[in-house]
Amino acid sequence: MSGPNFSNPVVRWIDHRLPVFTFMHHEMHEYPTPKNLNYWWNFGSLAGIVLVIMLLTGIILAMHYTPHVDYAFQSVERIMRDVNYGWLIRYIHANGASFFFIVVYIHIFRGLYYGSYKAPRELLWMLGVVILLLMMATAFMGYVLPWGQMSFWGATVITNLFSALPGVGEWIVTLLWGGFSVDNPTLNRFFSLHYLLPFVIVGVVVLHIVALHRFGSNNPLGIDVRGKQDSIPFHPYYTVKDMFGLGVFLTIFAAVVFFMPNAMGHPDNYIPANPLVTPAHIVPEWYFLPFYAILRAVPDKLLGVLAMFAAIAVLFILPWLDRSPVRSATFRPLFKIFFWIFAANCVLLTYLGGKPAEGIYVILSRLATVYYFFHFLILLPGLSIFETPKPLPRSISQPVLGSGTAGASKENS
Amino acid sequence: MAETHEGATRRDFIHVASATMGAVGAACVAWPLIDQMNPAADTLALATTEFDVSGVEEGMAVTIVWRGKPVFVRHRTAKEIEEAGAVDINDLPDPETDGARAAKPEMLVLVGVCTHLGCVPLGQKATDPRGEWGGWFCPCHGSHYDTSGRIRKGPAPTNLPVPPYEYISDTVIRIG
Ligand code: HEM
Ligand code: FES
């Protein structure tokens, strides 16, 4: 294993003592990548770029923001009206959070469809779920900072979730609040943690990538790379493809930031927080709606909270629920159908989470919640026993180059 | 053999003992780091509120602030008191008699925080929806409270709590 030969003597001098250039060359240039990746594989690098955008705009916002109940709302309005380009930076940050979730949710569904959570990528997948949880905590606390009505009541309802825990519940909630209700101490600590957690996310992303580079990317066929003819170097092939995807993404993102910056927000958050009046309809940000729907579907307080957390916890054990050795849905006729039903069910839950908890919406929420867990806990383990997968191709190159051996082989994975 | 065995045991003891001391030390250091998050002395100092209830007319309700939370003071009508008293408490999700919840029956004092997830229930204003039992209605996830502030229907597990309070004169209450 000899490293790359750098022509620049300074680079060579440094690399001999601190092999960062070898490392970068190895992991981002020659890094062999399956040659059949489709555009769904763009969303990982996109998520990384959005994280950087959030860090940059967030640090700038923190230069102008005041974390105090008497000034927070005004300081955000000042950012919007008086700070040079403050409106742009805040709109990028606020909409960036939504786009971050869009990108990451697509990234997750990509993994679900192509079986990217299966051996040997279980830890890679679980680190991804950790990132999702950290993102949720970060976005929740960020949304509290402007101290509007939705900020305040969102914080109240979500922190109160912990009061459902028997025995320690009240104690935990007081500890989170630093008082007897959501108040200035709460705002201060949320700001502190909102600043911290994104950097923790960066740390977990590094681990996520280390785990990724151990076995390389999965691919649309879900079969292992069989040799040199199945892969291409990351640079320039995928750097260019990722750049193209980034361009498309930024175009859409810019369109929202400039032309409909409040479309995904809630107007009540432009009313300063009032601890004595709850808005008639409190709804969380759209990216929490499926989980909110699950919370409300269960008539019991504690069980509702547990169901909501279980909806994410079940993702952790997914690699052991879906035992089918075939990764990609392309070769799993039944799984493919159920994947789309599951996806539609998630969209339904998102819709229901935004509706008032009454009448038909409650009934539908209950059905959709049951289906959500049914998919993971019963359907997937069952399918891995009863489904007959289609024959897998011999290798990534074979379907393209058609090397005659019409791949009826059942070996693999 | 016996010697090595004995030696190993003593060494094990030292390992366990020092690991235990380390754990105790770490816990001692961790506690201040956790407890700093609990309410600070000045926050606790604001923990009582006094209020003169004589201004609250029959049928009227007033919201005051205690520990940053809304407290409902409602001067109930004779009909409301009667309805609250007439319930068979065994039918209630959180059984409590009306008598135990109001020091003076006409003047009901409650923490105005829904016991589900902490929203402020509606019902203080005459124009508010008051739910199926004429008390309060929480719009967040649909909890109905009766004229004694007891939960009757919806996801909230318990009644609206009665804060600790006493009459320090005929008309002034001190909460907390
Ligand atoms: C994982 C990355 C991040 C996410 C998902 C995120 C999310 C959010 C959200 C949803 C808001 C509310 C926006 C609004 O409606 O006004 C917000 C506000 C804020 N964030 Fe972040 N954030 C991230 C990183 C950061 C970082 C690294 C900082 C640096 C200190 C930061 C500082 C702020 C500040 C000062 C505000 C309040 C100003 C405002 O509301 O616009 N954020 N964040
Ligand atoms: S907070 Fe009142 S019903 Fe949920």
Side-chain angles (χ1 to χ4, degrees):
Chain A
M1 279 292 282
S2 68
N5 235 331
F6 299 108
S7 49
N8 185 326
V10 181
V11 170
R12 230 176 4 224
W13 189 91
I14 296 178
D15 197 68
H16 186 62
R17 286 152 184 86
L18 178 73
V20 280
F21 295 101
T22 304
F23 176 80
M24 303 238 292
H25 183 86
H26 192 66
E27 301 299 332
M28 292 164 79
H29 190 142
E30 68 184 5
Y31 174 60
T33 311
K35 62 184 183 185
N36 59 336
L37 299 189
N38 57 30
Y39 272 107
W40 299 114
W41 264 261
N42 278 50
F43 288 87
S45 74
L46 263 187
I49 293 167
V50 180
L51 178 60
V52 173
I53 294 176
M54 295 307 284
L55 287 164
L56 275 178
T57 51
I59 290 169
I60 294 172
L61 285 173
M63 295 178 186
H64 303 281
Y65 170 79
T66 314
H68 186 285
V69 287
D70 294 337
Y71 305 105
F73 189 86
Q74 287 165 29
S75 74
V76 172
E77 283 308 300
R78 185 175 159 272
I79 291 171
M80 295 302 288
R81 291 152 199 261
D82 296 338
V83 174
N84 300 333
Y85 294 104
W87 57 272
L88 178 62
I89 299 182
R90 171 158 182 260
Y91 277 153
I92 291 177
H93 196 75
N95 286 288
S98 277
F99 276 84
F100 201 6
F101 277 93
I102 295 175
V103 167
V104 166
Y105 282 147
I106 294 177
H107 188 64
I108 292 173
F109 275 94
R110 185 283 315 263
L112 290 175
Y113 187 86
Y114 294 111
S116 302
Y117 47 85
K118 291 185 186 179
R121 296 187 182 82
E122 301 97 321
L123 275 182
L124 172 60
W125 170 261
M126 292 163 84
L127 286 167
V129 183
V130 172
I131 295 173
L132 176 65
L133 281 172
L134 287 169
M135 277 174 65
M136 290 176 150
T138 308
F140 160 64
M141 291 194 270
Y143 194 60
V144 176
L145 301 184
W147 210 243
Q149 271 291 66
M150 282 296 161
S151 302
F152 184 91
W153 291 102
T156 299
V157 167
I158 301 298
T159 49
N160 262 308
L161 292 177
F162 293 94
S163 72
L165 299 174
V168 290
E170 295 297 328
W171 188 84
I172 292 181
V173 173
T174 308
L175 190 80
L176 290 175
W177 288 343
F180 305 106
S181 57
V182 173
D183 209 333
N184 199 46
T186 327
L187 177 59
N188 272 293
R189 63 194 55 184
F190 279 17
F191 181 51
S192 168
L193 294 174
H194 184 70
Y195 210 132
L196 168 71
L197 286 190
F199 294 92
V200 178
I201 295 180
V202 171
V204 184
V205 167
V206 170
L207 293 179
H208 191 72
I209 291 173
V210 172
L212 170 69
H213 283 214
R214 182 79 177 81
F215 298 101
S217 297
N218 183 27
N219 63 78
L221 296 174
I223 59 178
D224 292 330
V225 169
R226 279 283 147 76
K228 262 193 149 19
Q229 75 286 358
D230 285 348
S231 69
I232 44 178
F234 192 79
H235 181 76
Y237 298 103
Y238 285 112
T239 40
V240 162
K241 193 171 176 178
D242 280 350
M243 291 306 274
F244 175 72
L246 177 65
V248 175
F249 171 82
L250 289 179
T251 310
I252 300 171
F253 184 43
V256 172
V257 166
F258 287 104
F259 296 106
M260 41 195 302
N262 290 306
M264 288 183 280
H266 199 293
D268 278 25
N269 221 26
Y270 285 104
I271 304 170
N274 179 353
L276 300 184
V277 179
T278 310
H281 272 321
I282 55 164
V283 277
E285 294 278 83
W286 69 265
Y287 36 82
F288 293 131
L289 290 176
F291 304 102
Y292 196 58
I294 291 177
L295 167 78
R296 296 192 308 182
V298 184
D300 181 85
K301 180 170 163 180
L302 176 60
L303 292 180
V305 173
L306 290 180
M308 188 182 78
F309 284 113
I312 296 178
V314 73
L315 292 175
F316 275 108
I317 53 166
L318 174 61
W320 294 275
L321 293 172
D322 179 2
R323 312 295 308 231
S324 165
V326 178
R327 292 196 193 105
S328 173
T330 312
F331 303 104
R332 300 185 62 191
L334 291 175
F335 174 85
K336 195 191 224 164
I337 296 170
F338 287 115
F339 169 86
W340 288 110
I341 297 178
F342 174 75
N345 189 56
C346 287
V347 174
L348 177 65
L349 279 169
T350 310
Y351 168 79
L352 293 169
K355 290 286 156 193
E358 53 197 34
I360 180 78
Y361 299 127
V362 177
I363 300 166
L364 286 176
S365 299
R366 292 197 178 140
L367 292 175
T369 299
V370 170
Y371 189 81
Y372 182 95
F373 287 106
F374 169 77
H375 177 85
F376 284 114
L377 298 177
I378 299 182
L379 203 63
L380 288 186
L383 278 187
S384 14
I385 301 169
F386 297 112
E387 183 184 46
T388 318
K390 293 193 206 153
L392 293 173
R394 274 276 171 73
S395 73
I396 291 175
S397 305
Q398 186 237 348
V400 190
L401 303 179
S403 53
T405 42
S409 72
K410 275 253 164 108
E411 40 125 31
N412 191 291
S413 301
Chain B
M1 275 312 279
E3 222 177 84
T4 8
H5 182 74
E6 197 182 46
T9 322
R10 289 164 78 180
R11 185 154 293 195
D12 284 350
F13 176 76
I14 291 174
H15 283 164
V16 171
S18 41
T20 310
M21 279 315 288
V24 170
C28 291
V29 175
W31 178 244
L33 301 182
I34 295 170
D35 191 42
Q36 52 80 21
M37 293 189 50
N38 271 316
D42 62 336
T43 312
L44 291 168
L46 294 175
T48 66
T49 298
E50 287 174 17
F51 179 67
D52 184 349
V53 298
S54 61
V56 189
E57 309 273 328
E58 182 168 328
M60 195 178 141
V62 167
T63 306
I64 57 178
V65 181
W66 170 61
R67 291 174 157 188
K69 301 186 211 202
V71 167
F72 295 163
V73 179
R74 180 142 151 190
H75 191 154
R76 297 188 289 181
T77 61
K79 181 166 165 277
E80 286 171 340
I81 300 172
E82 194 199 308
E83 276 170 9
V87 186
D88 179 359
I89 66 159
N90 295 317
D91 296 344
L92 299 175
D94 180 12
E96 256 186 312
T97 60
D98 184 51
R101 292 174 56 79
K104 293 184 181 173
E106 70 278 11
M107 206 56 78
L108 188 64
V109 182
L110 302 170
V111 177
V113 175
C114 181
T115 57
H116 181 229
L117 296 175
C119 292
V120 179
L122 298 172
Q124 287 295 88
K125 285 195 232 111
T127 48
D128 281 349
R130 288 185 161 172
E132 289 172 29
W133 283 266
W136 287 268
F137 171 69
C138 182
C140 289
H141 319 95
S143 290
H144 297 251
Y145 296 92
D146 67 13
T147 55
S148 185
R150 290 171 300 200
I151 180 67
R152 301 299 285 272
K153 185 176 150 188
T158 56
N159 303 333
L160 291 179
V162 179
Y165 71 95
E166 57 181 355
Y167 281 86
I168 54 174
S169 78
D170 257 5
T171 57
V172 178
I173 55 170
R174 186 202 285 135
I175 308 174

